Structures are given as C-alpha cells and as structure tokens.
Amino acid sequence: MPTPILNTKYNIPPLRPKTVPRERLINKLRDGLHRKLTLISAPAGYGKTTLISDWIANCGRPCAWLSLEEGDGEPARFLICLISSLQTLAPKTGEGVLAVLQSPEPPPMEPVLAALLKDTAAMAPCILILDDYHLVKSKSVDKLVSFLLDHLPLHIHLVMITREEPLIPLARLRVQDQLTELRASDLVFTATEVEGFLNGIMGLNLPTDEIDELGSRTEGWIAGLQLAALSIQGDHGTGRFLQSIAGSHHFVLDYLVEEVLQRQPEAVQSFLLRTSILDRLCGSLCEAILLSPAMSGRQQLLDLERQNLFVVPLDHERQWYRYHHLFAESLQRRLQDSHDNSSIAEMNKRASAWYENQGFEVEAFRHAVQSADIEHAARLLEGDGKPLHLRGSADIALKWLESLPAAELEARPALLVIYGSVMLITGKPTHVEPKLRAAEAALEGVRQDARIRDLIGLIAATRAAVAALMMAVKPGGANPKLLAAEASMQMTEQEDKTDDLIGLIAPAREAWADTSQEIEQVVTQSSRALEYLRQDNLAVRTSAAWMLGVACQRRGDHAGARKAYDAVISYSHMMGHKPMAVLSLIGLGQMEEADNRPGLAGECYGEALRLAGDLPLPALQEAQAGLQRVQRERRPGQEGNLIEPLSKRELEVLALIAKGLSNRDIGGKLFLAVDTVKGHNRRIFEKLQVQRRTEAIARAHELNLLPDPLKPH
C-alpha cells in the first residue's frame, strides 16, 4: 500500500532566463561523461544545482532527475524514488522491482538491485542525477549507491549533488579514473564571472575596483554575491555594504537576508517568513499557511521569482517552488526570533491539513509532528487501520514515538500498539512486549468497538511475529532466542527490517514436524489476530494468515497450513499484492512434495514462478529447485509427460520457434504483440524446464510436441 510521492522530486529544474556562462565547468562535466560518477560537492549557495541544470540542457543525453529529502533514507523508499525517476525516461524500467518495493513486505536489497540493473541495461544512454544527496544521511543508502556504482551499465552516468562528502568509495573511483569532481574551489566565481553577474545579470554597472572588492569579500560565493547585489540595488550603496559585511558565510547571509527583507513590503516579509516552514511551495499551500494573503499564492511566487528572491522553480509550469536552502535556513531563524511557538505551530497545523487533503500523508505527518499536535499526528500515523509505519515510514514514526512523554503514550493505547509494531520491524523485538502489555493495560475496560478490536488484532499479529522469530533460531529459552533473532536482524543496515523478518520466518523444505512452544504461540496469536482484525485490514490479515500457515506447516498440520495459505492468496489477490501469495504457493509446493504428490507440487511451484514473473524474490530459487526436483522424480516412470501441458497457442509458438523465427516474426505470423510472444516463451520454457531456445526445441522433440517434418501436411 504505497504512499504517494510528489512528482516535483523528478522534475528537472527549469533553466533560469539569465545565468552567468560557466564554460570552463561545463567542459569539465562534458569531458567526464565517460566515467561512472560526477560528484558536485560544496556548501550551500555555490550554484551546484544551477550548474548541472545548465549543463544537461545541452549535453545531448536524456536525463533523469531525483531531488532527495530527509525522508528518503530508507532503502526501499530511496529505490522507489530512483526507479520512478528512471521511468520518466523509460516507463517500463523497474516495473517488477517497484511492485515488490511498494508491498508491505519488501525483499532483500541484493536481488532487487540485480533485477533493476538488468532493466537499466536495456535503457538508452542517459544521465541520472541525485540532487541534495546529503539530506539522505543513511549508511544503507550509501551502501546501495556504492553497489549501483560498481554495477551500473557504462551507458548510464551518475551525477551526485551534495553539501557533504558522501560515504561511498571515492578513493577507489579516483584511482580507476571513474570520478569527475567539482568542489567549492571550482565553483566559486572568477573575477570575470563576478563582473558578469553583478553588472550583466543584476545590472549594477559597478566599477572594476568595487567588483574586485565584492568578489574578495564574498570569496566568489554565489549566494553572497546575489544577496549583496540585492542589498546594493536598494537604498544602500556599495560603500556602506562593504563596510558592513564580515564574518563567516552564515553571519554574512543573516546580515544580507536582513538587508533584503527590510526593503520588502510588510506583506512580502510576512509571506517569506511564514512559508519558510515548507520544503516545497505552491500557490494553494502558501495560501493555506497565510489564511488571507495580500495576493494569490501563485502570483506571489511568480513575483518572487521575477525579483530573483531566492525561489527555485521545480517544474516548467511554475506550479511548485522551493527556497534556496541557505535562504530558507536564515528565514527560519528569523521566524523563530519574531514569532512565538504557538503561532508557528498553528502554521504547521495548516500545512499538515493541506497535505492530508491532497493525499500526501507522510508530509502531513511531518508537519503535524512539527506543530506538536499529538492527536493529529497520532491519527495520521494510525492511518485508519493502515499505519504509516507499514508503508515505508518506520524510521520517522520511531523517532516521533521515542520523543513522546510516557504519559502521552499511556493516554493513547493505539500509539503503544503501533510503537510495539514499529519496534519489531526496525529490528528490536526485545522491546516489543513491554509496549504491547502497556497497550493492553490501557485498553482494559474500554468498549470493544471495531477500532479497538482491530488494535487487539494488531497486538496479536505482532506477538505472532515475535514468536515466529523465536521459532526460527536455535538457542534454548525464550530470551536467548529473542536476543539471537535481534542480533541477526541488526546485522543488516537498513532501518526497515521487514525483509529480515520474512527471511527468518519462512520455512525451509526440511523443517517438518516442529512442535516447539513458539509454534503453538504463533498458531494461537495468528488465529487471534484473524479473529479480531477488521476484514478490510488486508495487509495485517495477510501477514497473520501467512505466519499461521508457516507455523502449521512446521508442526506438520498440512490441512491447517493449506487453509491459511489459501487465505493469503485470496487476500493478496484483493490487494493486488504478489509476494506473499508467491511465498504461500511455495509453502503449498513444499507440503505436496513432502506428501509424495510431485504433480501437485510441480503445479504449485510453477504457479509461484508464473505469478512472480520478473519480481526479484529470493524465495523463487526454492520454487525453481522444487520444480526441478519433482521433474526428476516423475521422469523415471513418466518419461514423456509434462508437469503441465502446453496450451494450443503455446504449441503454435513452439513450432515457430523450432522454425527459427524471431519473436517479432512470430508476433506477425500469429497477430500477437511482441510482449505477448515473450510471455508465451517464458511459460513454454518453464513448462519444459529449459533456459534457451535450443534446449526448448530439443526437449520438445524428446516429448514429441513438434510436428514430424517428414510427414506430408
């Protein structure tokens, strides 16, 4: 159940109408295209994004852009954003990977990355730009990007724009001549560029000595020069300005912002300060913050852009903007100094309400947290039975929950339940039970309406998952088992440990007739969860039914396991969610194989493979291995049989493959789309248990599936 992501993250910033030509830097960027990575690393205000926007406008290659934010530090969300960016160039790229990542149970990253890299190999040469990479602050994403750099096809060039040195293997890339770097010392304006900006762009017509002095005082720092020019354009001459400017960039910026703000009408000052709480700005959102602005929010943003007042357009339609980062930081400091906390909180409340009405729940939750509106933030986190932490926001949920006083949590049992669930999927199962017990204590005596029953169901499902973890590890005793499971989960770096949970819980083929105490706990708690959970709480019901199936399978109760796995498949179909259904089909195949029914086992394994398609699920290796096992078992007495017969259309496609026709030629002959032919090919190969066309033809002759070429037609 994915949460929507603003399309502005993928928009290439439009070209500014007037910029200083920077040919020396453009040439360096162009000459580095044969390398893997271009790194633009410098503090704020050095024109990093503007430079890259100018370069890619005429570089001759299509470009995919991704503007990163603080909430993009979880690997699954980062990859969702990255794939969505690539899809602006090639809409089919990473479709299967995206489907898996947007599910409640994302898989391990390595097979996901392998599948994505396979898709990118088919893309045309392009440039992928990661803007504001420093905001991610995630070792897991650093590791992921390092992997991509090692394996990206040569025709995809990565550009990283950041304020801070990224924790990726830059030294190795330098040695291999795979890195082009631009630092602050490269980006500062030269004397010629300072003159071009101040006199050509800003129209100040300053003499050479004053230009040199301004360049020296600002050290070629572009943001400082821009604010200096705005200050000089007002009622202060160059002389007074040069006497006033001193200190570090932040002090200079604060002085300059104050100078610029004081020259603006009161309504503009109010607009700038109040809307500085926003990461992105659009007209209606700004109007919601100000309630009754002097002019429309859209017109105000257009005017600010025209005045060059540090607003950056995020789309070509001029619908969305952001403030220059340093400008926003300085505005926020002034806002804190000039407004009391209650008025700032009220602005954040209005921003949260606007985002919620637009369906952007993560952004709504962030502003609710900033407003200190616990009730609103709690409601957003609960998500009407679909908690945000189960939709890729576990990290921000945990940070907020950890910040709340105990009394606030105790007054809200739902938050305690979610807290326990968040602890579980962030890899801290030893912390789960105290939260759940506190929630149960707070729920005592409360009337069990549908919402309360759903909370009781979530408590049971969380307990079932903890017990399932304990049944997956070896040490004796509940506490040692839980500690061992936690240690295993903490070995991976990603914040969301859902894939670790699934990997630990999923049964191996040999795990039969386990009657441990934890098995019984999983059965009891999963059954309780299914009894109490709302029928439309499909995500948690699916997880509970799958754990019940795994537990029944482990203790040898195949009838119970089949019933549970069938429920998972049904729920998955209703959600349009494949991974858990695939896992359930594999479990069914394992049981049929154990019960000496290789034909039925093969059908389950084959269905799992067909349903998964191109999804990068590690469990598919078990399905493939299982299909090979049952095929070997059936061959001695049934040499001529298939586990599943080919359809009439598949036989037609197979005959044309044997004649050497290409997929396109087959499509033309049978009036089928090429993608449809490829689908038939995949199913034919699966049924024949082959990998290549030549093997398929040989196997088809072995099974007498092809017409005899010597017979007359």
Side-chain angles (χ1 to χ4, degrees), residues 20-60:
V20 175
R22 312 208 75 188
E23 288 303 317
R24 61 187 175 91
L25 301 180
I26 298 289
N27 291 337
K28 187 171 183 178
L29 293 170
R30 184 185 62 241
D31 294 343
L33 264 177
H34 68 282
R35 302 185 177 100
K36 289 184 176 182
L37 174 67
T38 292
L39 176 68
I40 316 294
S41 179
Y46 277 85
K48 302 183 291 294
T49 300
T50 300
L51 171 66
I52 295 300
S53 299
D54 288 348
W55 169 51
I56 63 176
N58 298 295
C59 72

CSV table of all heavy atoms in Angstrom, one decimal, residues 20-60:
chain,number,residue,atom,x,y,z
A,20,VAL,N,25.1,33.3,-15.6
A,20,VAL,CA,26.5,33.6,-16.0
A,20,VAL,C,27.0,32.3,-16.7
A,20,VAL,O,27.0,31.2,-16.2
A,20,VAL,CB,27.4,33.9,-14.8
A,20,VAL,CG1,28.8,34.1,-15.2
A,20,VAL,CG2,26.9,35.1,-14.1
A,21,PRO,N,27.6,32.5,-17.9
A,21,PRO,CA,28.1,31.4,-18.7
A,21,PRO,C,29.3,30.8,-17.9
A,21,PRO,O,30.2,31.5,-17.4
A,21,PRO,CB,28.6,32.0,-20.0
A,21,PRO,CG,27.9,33.2,-20.1
A,21,PRO,CD,27.6,33.7,-18.7
A,22,ARG,N,29.3,29.4,-17.7
A,22,ARG,CA,30.4,28.8,-17.0
A,22,ARG,C,31.0,27.7,-17.8
A,22,ARG,O,31.0,26.5,-17.5
A,22,ARG,CB,29.8,28.2,-15.7
A,22,ARG,CG,29.0,29.2,-14.9
A,22,ARG,CD,29.0,29.0,-13.4
A,22,ARG,NE,30.3,29.4,-12.8
A,22,ARG,CZ,30.6,29.1,-11.5
A,22,ARG,NH1,29.8,28.5,-10.7
A,22,ARG,NH2,31.8,29.5,-11.1
A,23,GLU,N,31.6,28.1,-19.0
A,23,GLU,CA,32.0,27.1,-19.9
A,23,GLU,C,33.2,26.2,-19.4
A,23,GLU,O,33.2,25.1,-19.7
A,23,GLU,CB,32.5,27.9,-21.2
A,23,GLU,CG,31.4,28.4,-22.1
A,23,GLU,CD,30.4,27.4,-22.5
A,23,GLU,OE1,30.8,26.3,-22.9
A,23,GLU,OE2,29.2,27.6,-22.4
A,24,ARG,N,34.0,26.8,-18.6
A,24,ARG,CA,35.1,26.0,-18.0
A,24,ARG,C,34.6,24.8,-17.2
A,24,ARG,O,35.2,23.7,-17.3
A,24,ARG,CB,36.0,26.9,-17.2
A,24,ARG,CG,35.3,27.5,-15.9
A,24,ARG,CD,36.2,28.4,-15.2
A,24,ARG,NE,35.4,29.0,-14.1
A,24,ARG,CZ,35.4,28.6,-12.8
A,24,ARG,NH1,36.1,27.5,-12.5
A,24,ARG,NH2,34.6,29.1,-11.9
A,25,LEU,N,33.5,25.0,-16.5
A,25,LEU,CA,32.9,23.9,-15.7
A,25,LEU,C,32.1,23.0,-16.6
A,25,LEU,O,32.2,21.8,-16.4
A,25,LEU,CB,32.1,24.5,-14.6
A,25,LEU,CG,32.8,25.4,-13.6
A,25,LEU,CD1,31.8,25.9,-12.5
A,25,LEU,CD2,34.0,24.7,-12.9
A,26,ILE,N,31.4,23.6,-17.6
A,26,ILE,CA,30.6,22.7,-18.5
A,26,ILE,C,31.5,21.8,-19.3
A,26,ILE,O,31.2,20.6,-19.5
A,26,ILE,CB,29.8,23.6,-19.5
A,26,ILE,CG1,28.8,24.5,-18.7
A,26,ILE,CG2,29.1,22.8,-20.5
A,26,ILE,CD1,27.6,23.8,-18.1
A,27,ASN,N,32.7,22.3,-19.7
A,27,ASN,CA,33.6,21.5,-20.4
A,27,ASN,C,34.1,20.3,-19.6
A,27,ASN,O,34.3,19.2,-20.1
A,27,ASN,CB,34.8,22.3,-20.9
A,27,ASN,CG,34.3,23.3,-22.0
A,27,ASN,OD1,33.3,23.1,-22.7
A,27,ASN,ND2,35.1,24.4,-22.2
A,28,LYS,N,34.4,20.6,-18.3
A,28,LYS,CA,34.9,19.5,-17.4
A,28,LYS,C,33.8,18.5,-17.2
A,28,LYS,O,34.1,17.3,-17.2
A,28,LYS,CB,35.3,20.1,-16.1
A,28,LYS,CG,36.0,19.1,-15.2
A,28,LYS,CD,36.6,19.8,-14.0
A,28,LYS,CE,37.3,18.8,-13.1
A,28,LYS,NZ,38.0,19.4,-11.9
A,29,LEU,N,32.6,18.9,-17.1
A,29,LEU,CA,31.5,17.9,-16.9
A,29,LEU,C,31.3,17.1,-18.2
A,29,LEU,O,31.1,15.9,-18.1
A,29,LEU,CB,30.2,18.7,-16.6
A,29,LEU,CG,30.1,19.4,-15.3
A,29,LEU,CD1,28.9,20.3,-15.2
A,29,LEU,CD2,30.1,18.4,-14.1
A,30,ARG,N,31.4,17.7,-19.3
A,30,ARG,CA,31.2,17.0,-20.6
A,30,ARG,C,32.4,16.0,-20.8
A,30,ARG,O,32.1,14.9,-21.2
A,30,ARG,CB,31.2,18.0,-21.8
A,30,ARG,CG,30.9,17.3,-23.1
A,30,ARG,CD,31.0,18.3,-24.3
A,30,ARG,NE,32.4,18.9,-24.4
A,30,ARG,CZ,32.6,20.2,-24.2
A,30,ARG,NH1,31.7,21.1,-24.0
A,30,ARG,NH2,33.9,20.6,-24.3
A,31,ASP,N,33.6,16.4,-20.5
A,31,ASP,CA,34.7,15.6,-20.7
A,31,ASP,C,34.7,14.4,-19.7
A,31,ASP,O,35.4,13.4,-19.9
A,31,ASP,CB,36.0,16.3,-20.5
A,31,ASP,CG,36.2,17.4,-21.6
A,31,ASP,OD1,35.5,17.3,-22.6
A,31,ASP,OD2,37.0,18.3,-21.3
A,32,GLY,N,33.9,14.4,-18.6
A,32,GLY,CA,33.9,13.4,-17.7
A,32,GLY,C,32.8,12.4,-17.9
A,32,GLY,O,32.6,11.4,-17.1
A,33,LEU,N,32.0,12.5,-19.0
A,33,LEU,CA,30.9,11.6,-19.2
A,33,LEU,C,31.3,10.2,-19.4
A,33,LEU,O,30.4,9.3,-19.2
A,33,LEU,CB,30.1,12.1,-20.4
A,33,LEU,CG,28.9,13.0,-20.1
A,33,LEU,CD1,28.2,13.4,-21.4
A,33,LEU,CD2,27.9,12.3,-19.3
A,34,HIS,N,32.5,9.9,-19.8
A,34,HIS,CA,32.9,8.5,-20.0
A,34,HIS,C,33.2,7.8,-18.6
A,34,HIS,O,33.3,6.6,-18.6
A,34,HIS,CB,34.2,8.4,-20.8
A,34,HIS,CG,35.4,9.0,-20.1
A,34,HIS,ND1,35.6,10.4,-20.0
A,34,HIS,CD2,36.4,8.4,-19.5
A,34,HIS,CE1,36.8,10.6,-19.4
A,34,HIS,NE2,37.3,9.4,-19.0
A,35,ARG,N,33.2,8.6,-17.5
A,35,ARG,CA,33.4,8.0,-16.2
A,35,ARG,C,32.1,7.6,-15.6
A,35,ARG,O,31.0,7.9,-16.1
A,35,ARG,CB,34.2,8.9,-15.3
A,35,ARG,CG,35.5,9.4,-15.9
A,35,ARG,CD,36.2,10.3,-14.9
A,35,ARG,NE,37.6,10.7,-15.4
A,35,ARG,CZ,37.8,11.8,-16.0
A,35,ARG,NH1,36.9,12.8,-16.1
A,35,ARG,NH2,39.0,12.1,-16.4
A,36,LYS,N,32.1,6.8,-14.5
A,36,LYS,CA,30.9,6.4,-13.8
A,36,LYS,C,30.2,7.5,-13.1
A,36,LYS,O,29.0,7.5,-13.1
A,36,LYS,CB,31.3,5.3,-12.8
A,36,LYS,CG,31.7,3.9,-13.4
A,36,LYS,CD,31.9,2.9,-12.3
A,36,LYS,CE,32.2,1.5,-12.9
A,36,LYS,NZ,32.3,0.5,-11.9
A,37,LEU,N,31.0,8.4,-12.4
A,37,LEU,CA,30.3,9.3,-11.4
A,37,LEU,C,30.9,10.7,-11.6
A,37,LEU,O,32.1,10.9,-11.8
A,37,LEU,CB,30.6,8.8,-10.0
A,37,LEU,CG,30.2,9.8,-8.9
A,37,LEU,CD1,28.7,9.9,-8.8
A,37,LEU,CD2,30.7,9.3,-7.5
A,38,THR,N,30.0,11.7,-11.6
A,38,THR,CA,30.4,13.1,-11.4
A,38,THR,C,29.9,13.5,-10.0
A,38,THR,O,28.7,13.4,-9.7
A,38,THR,CB,29.7,14.0,-12.5
A,38,THR,OG1,30.3,13.6,-13.8
A,38,THR,CG2,30.0,15.4,-12.2
A,39,LEU,N,30.8,14.0,-9.2
A,39,LEU,CA,30.4,14.5,-7.9
A,39,LEU,C,30.6,16.0,-7.8
A,39,LEU,O,31.6,16.5,-8.1
A,39,LEU,CB,31.4,13.8,-6.8
A,39,LEU,CG,31.2,14.3,-5.4
A,39,LEU,CD1,29.9,13.8,-4.8
A,39,LEU,CD2,32.4,13.8,-4.5
A,40,ILE,N,29.5,16.6,-7.4
A,40,ILE,CA,29.5,18.1,-7.2
A,40,ILE,C,29.3,18.3,-5.7
A,40,ILE,O,28.2,18.1,-5.2
A,40,ILE,CB,28.3,18.8,-8.0
A,40,ILE,CG1,28.2,18.3,-9.4
A,40,ILE,CG2,28.5,20.3,-8.0
A,40,ILE,CD1,29.4,18.6,-10.3
A,41,SER,N,30.3,18.6,-5.0
A,41,SER,CA,30.3,18.7,-3.5
A,41,SER,C,30.8,20.1,-3.1
A,41,SER,O,31.9,20.4,-3.3
A,41,SER,CB,31.1,17.6,-2.9
A,41,SER,OG,31.1,17.6,-1.5
A,42,ALA,N,29.9,20.8,-2.5
A,42,ALA,CA,30.2,22.1,-2.0
A,42,ALA,C,29.1,22.6,-1.0
A,42,ALA,O,28.0,22.1,-1.0
A,42,ALA,CB,30.3,23.1,-3.1
A,43,PRO,N,29.4,23.5,-0.1
A,43,PRO,CA,28.4,24.1,0.8
A,43,PRO,C,27.2,24.7,0.0
A,43,PRO,O,27.3,24.9,-1.2
A,43,PRO,CB,29.1,25.1,1.7
A,43,PRO,CG,30.6,24.7,1.6
A,43,PRO,CD,30.7,24.1,0.2
A,44,ALA,N,26.2,25.1,0.7
A,44,ALA,CA,25.1,25.7,0.1
A,44,ALA,C,25.5,27.1,-0.5
A,44,ALA,O,26.4,27.7,0.0
A,44,ALA,CB,24.0,25.9,1.2
A,45,GLY,N,24.8,27.4,-1.5
A,45,GLY,CA,25.0,28.7,-2.1
A,45,GLY,C,26.1,28.8,-3.2
A,45,GLY,O,26.5,29.9,-3.5
A,46,TYR,N,26.6,27.7,-3.7
A,46,TYR,CA,27.6,27.7,-4.6
A,46,TYR,C,27.2,27.4,-6.1
A,46,TYR,O,28.0,27.2,-7.0
A,46,TYR,CB,28.7,26.7,-4.3
A,46,TYR,CG,29.7,27.3,-3.2
A,46,TYR,CD1,29.4,27.3,-1.9
A,46,TYR,CD2,30.9,27.9,-3.7
A,46,TYR,CE1,30.3,27.8,-1.0
A,46,TYR,CE2,31.8,28.4,-2.7
A,46,TYR,CZ,31.5,28.4,-1.4
A,46,TYR,OH,32.4,28.9,-0.5
A,47,GLY,N,25.9,27.3,-6.3
A,47,GLY,CA,25.3,27.2,-7.6
A,47,GLY,C,25.4,25.8,-8.2
A,47,GLY,O,25.5,25.6,-9.4
A,48,LYS,N,25.4,24.8,-7.3
A,48,LYS,CA,25.6,23.4,-7.8
A,48,LYS,C,24.5,23.0,-8.7
A,48,LYS,O,24.7,22.5,-9.8
A,48,LYS,CB,25.7,22.4,-6.6
A,48,LYS,CG,26.8,22.8,-5.6
A,48,LYS,CD,26.9,21.7,-4.5
A,48,LYS,CE,25.7,21.8,-3.5
A,48,LYS,NZ,25.6,23.1,-2.7
A,49,THR,N,23.3,23.1,-8.2
A,49,THR,CA,22.1,22.7,-9.0
A,49,THR,C,21.9,23.5,-10.3
A,49,THR,O,21.6,22.9,-11.3
A,49,THR,CB,20.8,22.8,-8.1
A,49,THR,OG1,21.0,21.9,-7.0
A,49,THR,CG2,19.6,22.3,-8.9
A,50,THR,N,22.2,24.8,-10.2
A,50,THR,CA,22.0,25.6,-11.4
A,50,THR,C,23.0,25.2,-12.5
A,50,THR,O,22.7,25.1,-13.7
A,50,THR,CB,22.3,27.1,-11.0
A,50,THR,OG1,21.3,27.5,-10.1
A,50,THR,CG2,22.2,28.0,-12.2
A,51,LEU,N,24.3,24.9,-12.0
A,51,LEU,CA,25.3,24.5,-13.0
A,51,LEU,C,24.9,23.2,-13.7
A,51,LEU,O,25.0,23.1,-14.9
A,51,LEU,CB,26.6,24.3,-12.2
A,51,LEU,CG,27.7,23.6,-13.1
A,51,LEU,CD1,28.2,24.5,-14.2
A,51,LEU,CD2,28.9,23.2,-12.2
A,52,ILE,N,24.4,22.2,-12.9
A,52,ILE,CA,24.0,20.9,-13.6
A,52,ILE,C,22.8,21.1,-14.5
A,52,ILE,O,22.8,20.5,-15.6
A,52,ILE,CB,23.7,19.9,-12.5
A,52,ILE,CG1,25.0,19.6,-11.7
A,52,ILE,CG2,23.2,18.6,-13.1
A,52,ILE,CD1,26.2,19.0,-12.5
A,53,SER,N,21.9,22.0,-14.1
A,53,SER,CA,20.7,22.2,-14.9
A,53,SER,C,21.2,22.9,-16.3
A,53,SER,O,20.7,22.5,-17.3
A,53,SER,CB,19.8,23.2,-14.2
A,53,SER,OG,19.3,22.6,-13.1
A,54,ASP,N,22.1,23.8,-16.2
A,54,ASP,CA,22.6,24.4,-17.4
A,54,ASP,C,23.3,23.4,-18.3
A,54,ASP,O,23.2,23.4,-19.5
A,54,ASP,CB,23.6,25.6,-17.1
A,54,ASP,CG,22.9,26.8,-16.5
A,54,ASP,OD1,21.6,26.8,-16.6
A,54,ASP,OD2,23.5,27.7,-16.0
A,55,TRP,N,24.1,22.5,-17.7
A,55,TRP,CA,24.9,21.5,-18.4
A,55,TRP,C,24.0,20.6,-19.2
A,55,TRP,O,24.2,20.3,-20.4
A,55,TRP,CB,25.8,20.8,-17.5
A,55,TRP,CG,26.5,19.6,-18.1
A,55,TRP,CD1,27.2,19.6,-19.3
A,55,TRP,CD2,26.6,18.3,-17.5
A,55,TRP,NE1,27.7,18.3,-19.5
A,55,TRP,CE2,27.3,17.5,-18.4
A,55,TRP,CE3,26.1,17.7,-16.4
A,55,TRP,CZ2,27.5,16.1,-18.2
A,55,TRP,CZ3,26.3,16.4,-16.1
A,55,TRP,CH2,27.0,15.6,-17.0
A,56,ILE,N,23.0,20.0,-18.4
A,56,ILE,CA,22.3,18.9,-19.1
A,56,ILE,C,21.3,19.4,-20.1
A,56,ILE,O,20.8,18.6,-21.0
A,56,ILE,CB,21.5,18.1,-18.0
A,56,ILE,CG1,20.5,18.9,-17.3
A,56,ILE,CG2,22.4,17.4,-17.0
A,56,ILE,CD1,19.6,18.2,-16.3
A,57,ALA,N,21.0,20.7,-20.1
A,57,ALA,CA,20.1,21.3,-21.1
A,57,ALA,C,20.7,21.1,-22.5
A,57,ALA,O,20.0,21.0,-23.5
A,57,ALA,CB,19.9,22.7,-20.8
A,58,ASN,N,22.0,21.0,-22.6
A,58,ASN,CA,22.7,20.9,-24.0
A,58,ASN,C,23.7,19.8,-24.0
A,58,ASN,O,24.6,19.8,-24.9
A,58,ASN,CB,23.3,22.3,-24.3
A,58,ASN,CG,22.3,23.4,-24.4
A,58,ASN,OD1,21.5,23.4,-25.3
A,58,ASN,ND2,22.5,24.4,-23.5
A,59,CYS,N,23.6,18.8,-23.1
A,59,CYS,CA,24.7,17.8,-23.1
A,59,CYS,C,24.4,16.7,-24.1
A,59,CYS,O,25.3,15.9,-24.4
A,59,CYS,CB,24.8,17.2,-21.7
A,59,CYS,SG,23.4,16.1,-21.3
A,60,GLY,N,23.2,16.7,-24.7
A,60,GLY,CA,23.0,15.7,-25.8
A,60,GLY,C,22.5,14.3,-25.3
A,60,GLY,O,22.3,13.4,-26.1
